[in-house]
Amino acid sequence: MEKREEKNTVYYSIKQVSERTHFPVSTLRYYDKMGLTPQIHHTASGVRQYSEEDICFLNLICCLKRSNMPVEEIRKFVEFCLLKEDGAEARKEILQKHRQRIQQKIEELQGSLCLIDYKLEHYKEIGVFHLC
């Protein structure tokens, strides 16, 4: 197992992180290139090394991405994370706004699901060509 210990921190290779998180190596490299993982340790030759904390942070980034937070907004969130406590309030605000967007989308999807369920329940009655 490739790992490097420094100040009691265990580092994992990009391949190990990919296997562990099921994120493609290309995604991990993309996140690094886009500045979404600036805390990732790089060796002198540029090899990425990930800590347990980095892996947890990657899971958060992927959660935000999966829930349709724009990359620019994720980048802002990351910048505020780097500020530690000084960025806490701004991070909270970003997450609250994103939560509201997710909640709105859930409500929209729930309405769509109700209509589809209605159509399925009454499929034989309404017929194939009935549009309302």
Side-chain angles (χ1 to χ4, degrees):
M1 175 158 96
E2 293 177 48
K3 59 183 174 182
R4 176 175 177 245
E5 292 193 34
E6 185 178 289
K7 297 181 184 177
N8 296 325
T9 300
V10 177
Y11 290 100
Y12 301 92
S13 70
I14 196 167
K15 182 180 178 192
Q16 289 171 314
V17 173
S18 176
E19 290 169 355
R20 188 166 157 189
T21 61
H22 306 289
F23 305 143
V25 168
S26 60
T27 297
L28 297 172
R29 286 188 178 125
Y30 172 76
Y31 288 169
D32 192 26
K33 180 181 175 184
M34 295 303 294
L36 302 181
T37 56
Q39 77 285 2
I40 300 297
H41 181 268
H42 292 77
T43 65
S45 59
V47 175
R48 294 169 185 89
Q49 294 182 316
Y50 298 80
S51 68
E52 287 293 333
E53 189 175 299
D54 296 333
I55 293 169
C56 289
F57 193 73
L58 275 170
N59 284 321
L60 173 59
I61 297 298
C62 287
C63 168
L64 297 175
K65 185 95 173 79
R66 262 192 322 270
S67 59
N68 294 321
M69 181 182 277
V71 172
E72 260 319 301
E73 195 168 343
I74 295 173
R75 189 177 292 120
K76 285 180 192 174
F77 179 79
V78 169
E79 288 171 10
F80 288 125
C81 287
L82 294 174
L83 296 175
K84 309 276 185 210
E85 287 302 313
D86 292 337
E89 203 54 42
R91 289 192 312 266
K92 182 179 176 183
E93 185 178 318
I94 288 171
L95 291 177
Q96 286 174 329
K97 287 179 181 177
H98 188 59
R99 186 185 188 288
Q100 289 172 343
R101 288 190 304 263
I102 291 171
Q103 191 61 48
Q104 181 180 356
K105 188 65 176 174
I106 288 171
E107 290 168 10
E108 291 170 8
L109 289 171
Q110 190 62 46
S112 296
L113 183 61
C114 287
L115 179 58
I116 290 168
D117 284 345
Y118 172 81
K119 292 291 188 179
L120 287 171
E121 287 174 22
H122 298 91
Y123 188 77
K124 289 183 181 179
E125 297 170 22
I126 59 176
V128 175
F129 299 108
H130 192 275
L131 299 176
C132 296

